[in-house]
Amino acid sequence: MLQVLKPISKIASHVQASTTLAIDSMFKDMKANGIDVVGFGAGEPDFPTPEHIKQAGIMAIETNKTKYTPASGLLDLKKAACYRLREDNNLIYRPDQIVVASGAKHAIFIALMVLCDPGDEVVIAAPYWVSYSEMVQQAGAIPVIVAAGEEQHFKITAEQLDQAITPKTKAFMLNSPSNPTGMVYTKEELEAIAAVCIKHNIYVIADDIYSNLVYDDLEYHSIASLNEEIKRRCIVINGVSKSYAMTGWRIGYAAAAPEIARAMSNYVSHSTSAPSTISQYAAIEALNGPQEDIEEMRKAFQARRDHLVERMNQIEGVSCIKPQGAFYVMMNMESFIGKEMYGQLIVDDNDFAKLFLEKGLVATVPCSAFAAPGFIRWSYATSMQEIDKGIDRLENFIKNA
Ligand code: PMP
Ligand code: GLU
């Protein structure tokens, strides 16, 4: 008889699969099997990576730039990241403060590994991107969720944060523009939040990955740009996945105080060694090269948002507030809770999203995954035709239920 093996680690056994990635792979599988499904699941731009960036990757291969790089990334890429942080977000960093990682997700992961001891608490502003709480737990820390509802435009207040902080709090995780809400914190809101973080002497993981995707000429501020005291405590996260349509290249980066950057770099050196060299060369071109393509994509996202929001709000039973950035819309579906659709009781957003995929052939993400039950996230990083198709299907799905 086979001997029973010892259990895997307690930490690993509690880690859940990423809902967003699971829905995306379900959608891609259905599509590959010839099913006419429309996808609003994963937050992944439908645009191809701009040509000049692809060429930089090809050139890296052809000129044999295919060896290891320093663990925290190529100096030229760190310089390029400093340039963009200064130009776009008014943040001054030196190259030795930058750590390049295999995606922004990995940069957040290493930041948490470096900051947290077992039992530390990390406050997360909710609704939040599904991976935050899982990553906090993988670092042995405890996620503390502070939630803001639709009436607060999904933004937590400084008072809420203040009340959630305990002597065990190590860090606060903020994402503006937010996935899944698309909301952007104002300068005044950030100032109040920053004051609380300074008062309690906690770190801030400022996930600015959507900072280039802000609409209607709204002014964007990174919390780290407010003053030196808050900047010292910030680990700023950014990357090329979203604004440069480079999700598969897997390049993100963190900017932090030199001692934190050094610790993060050491961590990388014993895990991935360094991010892909070829992708790093492509990312240098993305950050230093012409920015017209990304402006075109931003404008397209804005037009899609306007269209999706307008059409969604014309449908009986659902509604949404207009997001200001990123490429997500939170659809309120609370009016269906407790009702029957297609002979099934809708207990929550999970039931609705499952049925919408099965009967309506539209993939979306139930927001319970983001600590926002009663909502469905639509990613509008897809074409106008697909948006119309998806909304037409929503109309029919509700009408025929
Ligand atoms: N932060 C947020 C809020 C995101 O939505 C994503 C999307 N995956 C990431 C970080 C990670 O991006 P990347 O693909 O660079 O790992
Ligand atoms: N961030 C995107 C999303 O929320 C991509 C998938 C993921 O990494 O979670 O859909």
Side-chain angles (χ1 to χ4, degrees):
M1 215 182 35
L2 282 177
Q3 198 178 16
V4 176
L5 301 180
K6 289 189 177 179
I8 60 165
S9 80
K10 287 195 184 65
I11 286 186
S13 62
H14 287 113
V15 177
Q16 305 288 318
S18 158
T19 318
T20 45
L21 293 180
I23 288 170
D24 188 49
S25 71
M26 208 192 305
F27 159 72
K28 284 173 180 159
D29 275 355
M30 285 170 85
K31 222 174 158 88
N33 285 322
I35 301 170
D36 174 29
V37 61
V38 197
F40 297 89
E44 176 165 57
D46 58 326
F47 300 111
T49 302
E51 198 52 40
H52 63 105
I53 301 175
K54 288 199 281 197
Q55 287 307 322
I58 292 167
M59 187 65 89
I61 296 174
E62 286 185 344
T63 55
N64 297 314
K65 289 171 175 159
T66 53
K67 310 291 188 196
Y68 294 133
T69 71
S72 54
L74 290 160
L75 180 60
D76 281 348
L77 180 49
K78 294 183 188 180
K79 285 183 181 164
C82 292
Y83 169 62
R84 284 262 71 88
L85 288 169
R86 191 177 63 238
E87 286 293 302
D88 298 347
N89 295 354
N90 200 21
L91 290 169
I92 311 291
Y93 284 100
R94 294 187 314 266
D96 67 328
Q97 297 181 276
I98 306 291
V99 180
V100 182
S102 304
K105 191 183 274 186
H106 188 224
I108 299 168
F109 183 79
I110 330 163
L112 285 164
M113 295 305 272
V114 161
L115 292 182
C116 296
D117 281 314
D120 281 350
E121 291 174 2
V122 177
V123 179
I124 303 176
Y128 65 87
W129 177 42
V130 59
S131 291
Y132 288 166
S133 55
E134 297 293 335
M135 288 196 275
V136 166
Q137 290 177 83
Q138 285 177 63
I142 302 159
V144 175
I145 310 303
V146 177
E150 198 179 29
E151 70 294 344
Q152 277 178 239
H153 278 206
F154 303 116
K155 293 191 275 188
I156 70 159
T157 62
E159 292 72 42
Q160 282 180 287
L161 175 62
D162 194 41
Q163 279 161 21
I165 293 173
T166 74
K168 286 188 177 165
T169 309
K170 199 54 151 317
F172 168 54
M173 293 189 75
L174 181 71
N175 176 216
S176 172
S178 152
N179 174 7
T181 73
M183 290 300 151
V184 179
Y185 281 78
T186 64
K187 190 173 182 209
E188 291 69 35
E189 289 162 348
L190 291 173
E191 271 165 355
I193 285 172
V196 170
C197 297
I198 294 167
K199 179 174 99 179
H200 292 283
N201 194 19
I202 60 169
Y203 291 101
V204 179
I205 298 181
D207 184 351
D208 292 354
I209 186 87
Y210 296 101
S211 61
N212 283 324
L213 295 174
V214 173
Y215 311 121
D216 305 325
D217 300 322
L218 191 86
E219 232 181 285
Y220 168 78
H221 297 275
S222 170
I223 189 167
S225 69
L226 298 178
N227 59 60
E228 276 307 311
E229 269 306 304
I230 193 65
K231 185 166 170 243
R232 284 175 63 208
R233 292 171 170 79
C234 282
I235 292 99
V236 171
I237 307 291
N238 218 314
V240 294
S241 295
K242 309 293 174 173
S243 20
Y244 296 90
M246 290 177 71
T247 45
W249 296 80
R250 310 306 306 130
I251 296 289
Y253 55 88
E259 55 287 5
I260 293 176
R262 209 171 309 121
M264 288 176 70
S265 169
N266 293 345
Y267 223 91
V268 175
S269 76
H270 292 294
S271 45
T272 57
S273 289
S276 151
T277 305
I278 298 148
S279 297
Q280 288 190 62
Y281 279 100
I284 293 173
E285 173 60 21
L287 300 177
N288 281 343
Q291 302 293 300
E292 286 80 20
D293 288 328
I294 75 149
E295 179 53 15
E296 284 307 307
M297 291 192 268
R298 192 193 66 81
K299 283 187 187 145
F301 288 134
Q302 178 169 316
R304 291 164 179 193
R305 175 206 60 169
D306 292 345
H307 189 61
L308 179 61
V309 167
E310 197 189 324
R311 285 211 58 195
M312 194 175 276
N313 279 323
Q314 284 163 6
I315 296 174
E316 186 81 29
V318 298
S319 64
C320 65
I321 56 172
K322 196 174 195 175
Q324 304 158 303
F327 34 58
Y328 307 101
V329 165
M330 297 272 282
M331 181 179 85
N332 187 326
M333 53 65 65
E334 284 168 332
S335 72
F336 294 97
I337 291 176
K339 302 228 170 93
E340 269 204 8
M341 294 181 92
Y342 299 92
Q344 289 180 37
L345 179 68
I346 302 294
V347 174
D348 57 18
D349 49 298
N350 292 308
D351 289 342
F352 186 94
K354 193 163 169 277
L355 213 54
F356 192 27
L357 181 58
E358 283 167 12
K359 306 281 184 201
L361 294 180
V362 177
T364 53
V365 184
C367 290
S368 287
F370 308 119
F375 291 84
I376 298 285
R377 189 192 80 174
W378 292 60
S379 161
Y380 54 86
T382 187
S383 70
M384 282 289 194
Q385 290 95 305
E386 294 289 287
I387 289 172
D388 273 327
K389 206 162 155 186
I391 289 285
D392 289 346
R393 286 184 184 190
L394 175 68
E395 244 170 351
N396 290 328
F397 172 72
I398 292 174
K399 213 185 301 158
N400 301 331

